[in-house]
Amino acid sequence: MKFFIDTANLDDIREAQALGVLDGVTTNPSLMAKEGISGKNNILKHYVDICNIVDGDVSAEVISTEFSEMVKEGEALAELHDQIVVKIPMIKDGVKALKYFSDRGIRTNCTLVFSPGQALLAAKAGATYVSPFIGRLDDISTDGLNLIAEIRLIYDNYGFDTQILAASVRHTMHVIDCAKLGSDVMTGPLSAIEGLLKHPLTDSGLAKFLADYNKGN
Ligand code: G3P
């Protein structure tokens, strides 16, 4: 399972990279705004800064909603750095853009996916990654994890190689549940990754080992 961090915060990205388990980064316009990054040039520079910190894939989102504009914007994003994956929203022109990029070997991440039908379309169009937003489904009393299970079943039925990238992951249990369901990737905050570390028996066990060692020294 690949671990992506879902942030535009460079300190969090560095921290996750330093842990040695990071496979990539996802961002979106809201996450950029949260870090105070605005204006086209600043946003493009920020993508390059992120690519220079991590080894893996970095999703960069188009903001156009019309096919030819998406193509222009996506090609420019892909040119920025070879780690860039072009993030395309699940709308009609987005599906056309997924197919366009897939035919040209440009990697894509289809975002804002909330149903198995949308995920099926993304795979048919050749998306590299599909991003079901599980947290936002949970927010409206719908089972986000069930969507991961449904997409896994559909993709496995037909051998689609589009990777399921569980997005809008909010906490550590989402990570574990996505792993159980066979999600290829999860993207979440640093806290969701670091939460995997925690167990009180690890802490008390280590405290005892160190105390016993120190008794004899
Ligand atoms: O990866 C998608 C993500 O950025 C959305 O997360 O927490 O705003 O639903 P959230």
Side-chain angles (χ1 to χ4, degrees), residues 118-166:
Q118 291 178 325
L120 180 56
L121 263 181
K124 288 282 294 172
T128 312
Y129 296 104
V130 66
S131 287
F133 278 32
I134 61 174
R136 291 193 191 184
L137 284 169
D138 290 353
D139 288 343
I140 57 157
S141 308
T142 304
D143 186 356
L145 288 167
N146 186 51
L147 177 58
I148 301 294
E150 289 181 302
I151 300 172
R152 182 74 283 155
L153 175 66
I154 290 169
Y155 283 10
D156 289 350
N157 279 347
Y158 295 98
F160 285 120
D161 49 21
T162 297
Q163 295 176 55
I164 303 173
L165 195 175

Side-chain angles (χ1 to χ4, degrees), residues 39-58:
K40 188 177 168 192
N41 290 342
N42 290 335
I43 290 174
L44 296 184
K45 180 186 173 304
H46 206 70
Y47 285 136
V48 175
D49 290 345
I50 293 172
C51 289
N52 289 334
I53 295 172
V54 300
D55 299 323
D57 292 347
V58 175

Side-chain angles (χ1 to χ4, degrees), residues 6-189:
D6 193 30
T7 185
N9 181 290
L10 298 184
D11 289 337
D12 281 4
I13 294 170
R14 280 191 201 97
E15 185 92 21
Q17 174 69 20
L19 195 57
V21 299
L22 191 67
D23 300 295
V25 178
T26 52
T27 57
N28 61 41
S30 307
L31 293 170
M32 284 284 184
K34 194 172 161 198
E35 299 307 317
I37 313 293
S38 61
K40 188 177 168 192
N41 290 342
N42 290 335
I43 290 174
L44 296 184
K45 180 186 173 304
H46 206 70
Y47 285 136
V48 175
D49 290 345
I50 293 172
C51 289
N52 289 334
I53 295 172
V54 300
D55 299 323
D57 292 347
V58 175
S59 289
E61 187 155 345
V62 301
I63 44 128
S64 313
T65 54
E66 188 276 323
F67 172 71
S68 60
E69 289 301 315
M70 282 174 150
V71 163
K72 229 187 287 169
E73 204 188 334
E75 283 178 337
L77 288 170
E79 279 290 304
L80 275 181
H81 199 285
D82 59 10
Q83 285 167 240
I84 294 281
V85 174
V86 181
K87 204 170 179 187
I88 308 271
M90 171 37 76
I91 56 176
K92 197 168 181 181
D93 282 35
V95 174
K96 294 178 194 170
L98 289 171
K99 174 72 177 138
Y100 174 93
F101 287 124
S102 150
D103 286 347
R104 285 157 184 80
I106 293 175
R107 291 171 310 136
T108 53
N109 173 0
C110 181
T111 190
L112 290 166
V113 166
F114 293 94
S115 77
Q118 291 178 325
L120 180 56
L121 263 181
K124 288 282 294 172
T128 312
Y129 296 104
V130 66
S131 287
F133 278 32
I134 61 174
R136 291 193 191 184
L137 284 169
D138 290 353
D139 288 343
I140 57 157
S141 308
T142 304
D143 186 356
L145 288 167
N146 186 51
L147 177 58
I148 301 294
E150 289 181 302
I151 300 172
R152 182 74 283 155
L153 175 66
I154 290 169
Y155 283 10
D156 289 350
N157 279 347
Y158 295 98
F160 285 120
D161 49 21
T162 297
Q163 295 176 55
I164 303 173
L165 195 175
S168 185
V169 160
R170 301 276 175 74
H171 49 73
T172 301
M173 278 314 294
H174 270 157
V175 180
I176 294 166
D177 287 331
C178 285
K180 286 184 187 168
L181 292 168
S183 190
D184 300 289
V185 192
M186 78 84 202
T187 190

